């Protein structure tokens, strides 16, 4: 085990903040922790550490996997919501961070406004982990990459296709693709395409990331097809979204245009019959539950990293 004394907290806010080498190191640690767990070996790397988790929005996977992950590493958790904190009575996120830094060893937060995440992290003297904002979902994409590599090998050699709405998970995939060099073909309807920030990221990612509107074109020869809900947390126009995004449903016909061995991923929760059919999500190409499981292993490695533990 290698631990460092940290002058500045190691935040995990966006994949854009990282080098490919550091993310690779975290992924390697995740794989090692997964193997060890399967052997019944739970290295107690975070004894006496307390992770506070603040959820401003709903969660099943993020909430349970961080909680269980901390316990497996010997640490403890506090589950909080903004509604039951003084955040609900307009205490600022910065002041909240200053106070919580005096009590806990790290903070994980799910909050829609990415600027709020940055305000919290900027004032926190303990590590802050992004558990999803409207802008990004970096923990999810770490688990996705881990899952792809378990099934098919190096992500850098993959042709990845994203079909459907343009959202937080896609943004983190754009950031990962820039780092790891996999190709990423995006098909979104113009109406629900990338916002200015994501467009800038796509342009900055280089030629391996392409944006179009045709789902059939995007999945051609893909090794991995990814979609997500058409109505993300904070979206206000579900009726219009369902109408406009209907041609982007991932069904067996669309999957047939990808490579024969292509995998299907979805971060979950899925809206069966909308963005994906039962046949695809329950079919042999789907790895959605491996993806969900790997949230646990990837986040345990992220937790170790924020606490200065790079190897085990
Ligand atoms: N994929 C994901 O983050 O799931 P939850 O919203 O259930 O945490
Ligand atoms: N894009 C989805 C992901 C949920 C985990 C949302 O933001 O609601």
């Amino acid at each position: 085990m290698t631990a460092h004394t940290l002058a500045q907290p190691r935040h995990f806010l966006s994949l854009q903040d990282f080098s490919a080498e550091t993310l690779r190191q975290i992924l390697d640690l995740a794989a090692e922790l997964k193997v060890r767990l399967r052997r019944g070996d739970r290295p107690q790397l975070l004894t006496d550490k307390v992770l506070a988790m603040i959820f401003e929005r709903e969660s099943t996977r993020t909430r349970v996997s961080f909680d269980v992950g901390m316990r497996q590493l010997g640490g403890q958790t506090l589950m909080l919501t903004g509604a039951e904190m003084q955040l609900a009575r307009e205490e600022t996120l910065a002041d909240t961070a200053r106070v919580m830094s005096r009590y806990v060893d790290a903070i994980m937060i799910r909050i829609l406004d990415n600027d709020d995440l940055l305000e919290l992290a900027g004032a926190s003297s303990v590590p802050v982990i992004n558990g999803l904002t409207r802008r990004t979902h970096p923990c999810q994409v770490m688990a996705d990459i881990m899952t792809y590599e378990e099934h098919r090998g190096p992500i850098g050699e993959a042709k990845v296709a994203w079909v459907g709405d343009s959202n937080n998970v896609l943004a983190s995939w754009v950031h990962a693709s820039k780092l790891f060099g996999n190709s990423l073909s995006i098909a979104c309807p113009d109406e629900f395409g990338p916002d200015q920030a994501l467009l800038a990221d796509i342009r900055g990612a280089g030629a391996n990331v392409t944006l179009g509107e045709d789902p059939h074109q995007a999945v051609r020869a893909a090794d991995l097809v990814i979609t997500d809900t058409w109505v993300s947390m904070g979206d206000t126009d579900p009726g219009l979204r369902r109408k406009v995004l209907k041609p982007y449903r991932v069904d067996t016909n669309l999957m047939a245009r990808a490579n024969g061995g292509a995998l299907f991923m979805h971060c979950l929760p899925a809206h069966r019959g909308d963005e994906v059919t039962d046949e695809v999500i329950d079919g042999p190409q789907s790895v959605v539950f491996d993806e969900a499981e790997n949230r646990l292993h990837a986040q345990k490695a992220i937790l170790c990293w924020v606490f200065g533990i790079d190897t085990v």
Side-chain angles (χ1 to χ4, degrees), residues 25-99:
Q25 194 181 0
I26 296 172
L27 288 164
D28 288 348
L29 182 55
E32 173 70 18
L33 289 169
K34 182 171 182 175
V35 168
R36 290 226 196 171
L37 185 66
R38 293 259 157 101
R39 293 201 303 249
D41 175 12
R42 300 179 178 205
Q44 300 295 287
L45 300 168
L46 302 183
T47 17
D48 300 329
K49 300 288 189 206
V50 176
L51 173 73
M53 300 193 279
I54 306 174
F55 282 93
E56 289 282 45
R57 292 300 301 240
E58 305 84 342
S59 169
T60 298
R61 279 142 290 269
T62 307
R63 158 183 188 137
V64 178
S65 55
F66 266 108
D67 196 349
V68 170
M70 270 307 276
R71 291 172 197 228
Q72 289 181 355
L73 291 164
Q76 298 179 58
T77 54
L78 282 177
M79 190 76 72
L80 304 164
T81 65
E84 65 202 359
M85 298 169 73
Q86 295 289 10
L87 284 167
R89 294 179 60 242
E90 291 164 16
E91 185 165 24
T92 67
L93 280 154
D95 283 347
T96 303
R98 291 180 189 110
V99 171

Side-chain angles (χ1 to χ4, degrees), residues 214-229:
D214 181 352
H216 292 106
Q217 176 78 26
V219 303
R220 187 179 299 160
D223 304 305
L224 169 61
V225 176
I226 317 174
T227 193
D228 188 8
T229 180

Side-chain angles (χ1 to χ4, degrees), residues 108-125:
M108 195 284 301
I109 186 163
R110 168 166 290 191
I111 194 161
L112 291 190
D113 188 333
N114 202 70
D115 289 340
D116 287 346
L117 170 77
L118 299 180
E119 180 185 335
L120 183 87
S124 176
S125 55

Side-chain angles (χ1 to χ4, degrees), residues 57-59 61-62 110 112 131-134 136-137 140 162 165-170 228-235 266-269 271 295:
R57 292 300 301 240
E58 305 84 342
S59 169
R61 279 142 290 269
T62 307
R110 168 166 290 191
L112 291 190
L132 178 149
T133 69
R134 287 273 288 167
T136 60
H137 197 2
Q140 180 66 53
W162 176 279
D165 187 28
S166 167
N167 65 21
N168 40 15
V169 180
L170 172 60
D228 188 8
T229 180
W230 291 340
V231 188
S232 281
M233 289 180 273
D235 286 337
H266 186 310
C267 69
L268 304 179
H271 301 81
R295 294 292 302 278

Side-chain angles (χ1 to χ4, degrees), residues 135-137 141 167-176 198 201:
R135 169 115 173 87
T136 60
H137 197 2
V141 173
N167 65 21
N168 40 15
V169 180
L170 172 60
S172 288
W173 261 105
V174 170
H175 303 153
L198 183 51
D201 292 345

Side-chain angles (χ1 to χ4, degrees), residues 6-19 22-23 26 51 66 97-98 101 105-109 116-131 138-139 301-308:
L6 305 173
Q8 291 293 323
R10 280 183 168 184
H11 298 311
F12 192 87
L13 304 178
S14 170
L15 300 184
Q16 288 169 293
D17 303 335
F18 289 89
S19 64
T22 302
L23 294 184
I26 296 172
L51 173 73
F66 266 108
R98 291 180 189 110
S101 296
D105 301 291
I107 302 167
M108 195 284 301
I109 186 163
D116 287 346
L117 170 77
L118 299 180
E119 180 185 335
L120 183 87
S124 176
S125 55
V126 299
V128 173
I129 299 172
N130 176 1
C139 293
I302 291 166
L303 285 164
C304 287
W305 181 84
V306 302
F307 286 118

